[in-house]
């Protein structure tokens, strides 16, 4: 844990590696949770798992507060690339997740967790990585927004189609759970942006910090709860999640490349496809009653995708995008 904390401090003071500082901080917290899980399961009579859904709602509220009607209107200006990004996201990652869950022959609930991560929308981290990778940031935000708004429909539908053989999936229950965790907070955040944004400056500054701490706490609580299962299937699950993540980047990039999109757009779709909203997957795992099993894949996917995403973005940052001729 001290090693990762020291690494975090070093990275924060180094421009080239600053993007890795949050990830190493998460690794420090996860190390602590693995050694002392009892401190992250409950405090007194209060179970820390009860914080996961409210924290997710706050994170989604923060996402909504960063949007504006002007940005939403801009989404309509490039419908083809956005549609391709969203379609790739909701086909490539779920199918890869299903294939990996089947091939690796994990216990049923852990297998369902891998599929759940693949069925979730892209996360805010993909926007940061797109910026660092010299990709199309506007497209990244648009794909994240649209895929997130479609989550209450596609997440339960895909889970019903792909994961029902592993665990019971109740479509309408999951649709409502996704709606109250995603849509309602986002629209509340959008309303906040319209009515209050800029008027309460300290709140504008603190929202990103709350989101970072919230994601960290969610990962730590799930790691502590699933520690015993993680020790049994840990290395194999890490390998499965890594394959899932890297194949997402690869297939997202080459799918858009085959459609002769601009290099910047290819990079964007690659990151949008490969990077998932692992926090949402964790929250839905909790609501499905399998935080310590279904939630394990998302607890690993979150920190891991930040490492791979940061590495890919840093590599791309050093390469000026070359446009594909029309």
């Amino acid at each position: 844990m001290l090693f990762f904390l020291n690494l975090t401090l070093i990275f924060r003071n180094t421009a080239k590696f600053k993007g890795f500082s949050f990830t190493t901080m998460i690794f420090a917290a996860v190390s602590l949770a693995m050694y002392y899980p009892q401190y992250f399961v409950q405090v007194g009579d209060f179970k820390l798992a009860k914080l996961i859904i409210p924290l997710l709602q706050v994170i989604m509220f923060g996402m909504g507060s960063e949007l504006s009607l002007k940005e939403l209107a801009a989404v309509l200006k490039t419908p083809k690339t956005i549609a391709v990004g969203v379609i790739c996201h909701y086909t490539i990652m779920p199918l890869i997740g299903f294939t990996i869950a089947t091939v690796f022959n994990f216990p049923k609930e852990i297998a369902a967790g891998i599929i759940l991560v693949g069925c979730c929308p892209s996360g805010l981290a993909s926007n940061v990585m797109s910026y660092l990778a010299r990709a199309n940031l506007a497209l990244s935000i648009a794909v994240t927004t649209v895929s997130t708004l479609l989550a209450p429909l596609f997440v339960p539908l895909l889970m019903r189609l792909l994961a029902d053989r592993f665990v019971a999936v109740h479509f309408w229950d999951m649709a409502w759970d996704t709606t109250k965790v995603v849509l309602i907070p986002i629209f509340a955040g959008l309303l906040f942006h319209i009515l209050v944004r800029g008027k309460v400056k300290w709140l504008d500054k603190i929202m990103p910090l709350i989101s970072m701490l919230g994601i960290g706490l969610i990962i730590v609580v799930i790691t502590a709860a699933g520690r015993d299962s993680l020790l049994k299937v840990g290395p194999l699950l890490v390998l499965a999640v890594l394959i899932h993540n890297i194949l997402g980047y690869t297939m997202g990039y080459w799918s858009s490349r085959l459609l002769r999109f601009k290099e910047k757009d290819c990079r964007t779709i690659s990151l949008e496809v490969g990077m998932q909203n692992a926090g949402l997957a964790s929250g839905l795992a909790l609501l499905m009653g399998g935080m310590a099993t279904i939630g394990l894949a998302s607890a690993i996917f979150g920190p891991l995708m930040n490492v791979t995403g940061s590495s890919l973005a840093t590599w791309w940052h050093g390469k000026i995008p070359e446009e594909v001729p029309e």
Side-chain angles (χ1 to χ4, degrees), residues 4-41:
F4 282 122
L5 280 176
N6 285 321
L7 208 55
T8 300
L9 293 173
I10 293 169
F11 284 170
R12 282 197 67 81
N13 294 309
T14 308
K16 189 174 181 180
F17 297 106
K18 195 172 183 179
F20 292 99
S21 60
F22 177 64
T23 304
T24 51
M25 186 182 74
I26 292 295
F27 279 138
V30 166
S31 301
L32 189 63
M34 287 295 289
Y35 276 98
Y36 305 104
Q38 65 272 22
Y39 298 116
F40 299 97
V41 175

Side-chain angles (χ1 to χ4, degrees), residues 37-212:
Q38 65 272 22
Y39 298 116
F40 299 97
V41 175
Q42 64 183 61
V43 177
D45 295 328
F46 181 77
K47 292 186 177 180
L48 293 177
K50 292 180 179 179
L51 293 173
I52 290 177
I53 299 303
L55 282 170
L56 272 173
Q57 290 170 324
V58 169
I59 292 166
M60 290 298 156
F61 176 86
M63 178 181 174
S65 70
E66 294 295 326
L67 295 174
S68 69
L69 294 177
K70 185 178 179 181
E71 287 174 340
L72 291 175
V75 168
L76 301 175
K77 293 181 180 179
T78 54
K80 181 182 175 181
T81 48
I82 294 168
V84 168
V86 173
I87 291 168
C88 284
H89 186 87
Y90 277 124
T91 53
I92 291 172
M93 290 303 277
L95 291 174
I96 293 174
F98 174 77
T99 304
I100 289 172
T102 304
V103 170
F104 276 76
N105 198 29
F106 285 116
K108 288 185 176 182
E109 289 198 338
I110 291 175
I114 294 171
I115 298 171
L116 178 59
V117 172
C119 293
C120 281
S122 51
L124 295 175
S126 62
N127 304 155
V128 178
M129 300 311 169
S130 292
Y131 173 74
L132 294 175
R134 299 181 189 270
N136 187 337
L137 181 58
L139 174 62
S140 176
I141 293 170
V143 173
T144 298
T145 302
V146 174
S147 67
T148 302
L149 293 175
L150 291 174
L153 170 63
F154 281 106
V155 174
L157 177 62
L158 290 166
M159 282 295 289
R160 185 64 185 268
L161 291 172
L162 300 175
D164 202 43
R165 60 178 284 193
F166 298 108
V167 294
V169 178
H170 305 288
F171 178 88
W172 292 111
D173 289 344
M174 195 172 213
W176 169 240
D177 288 340
T178 313
T179 299
K180 69 185 180 184
V181 172
V182 176
L183 279 191
I184 294 174
I186 283 179
F187 282 117
L190 181 59
L191 191 62
F192 171 85
H193 180 98
I194 295 168
L195 299 176
V196 186
R197 182 77 173 173
K199 296 177 182 177
V200 188
K201 292 184 178 180
W202 65 268
L203 190 58
D204 294 344
K205 291 179 180 179
I206 203 173
M207 280 305 299
L209 179 61
I210 291 173
S211 295
M212 289 174 67

Side-chain angles (χ1 to χ4, degrees), residues 1-2 57 146 158 171 218 258 286 300 324:
M1 185 195 71
L2 290 173
Q57 290 170 324
V146 174
L158 290 166
F171 178 88
I218 288 168
L258 288 172
L286 171 64
I300 293 173
V324 177

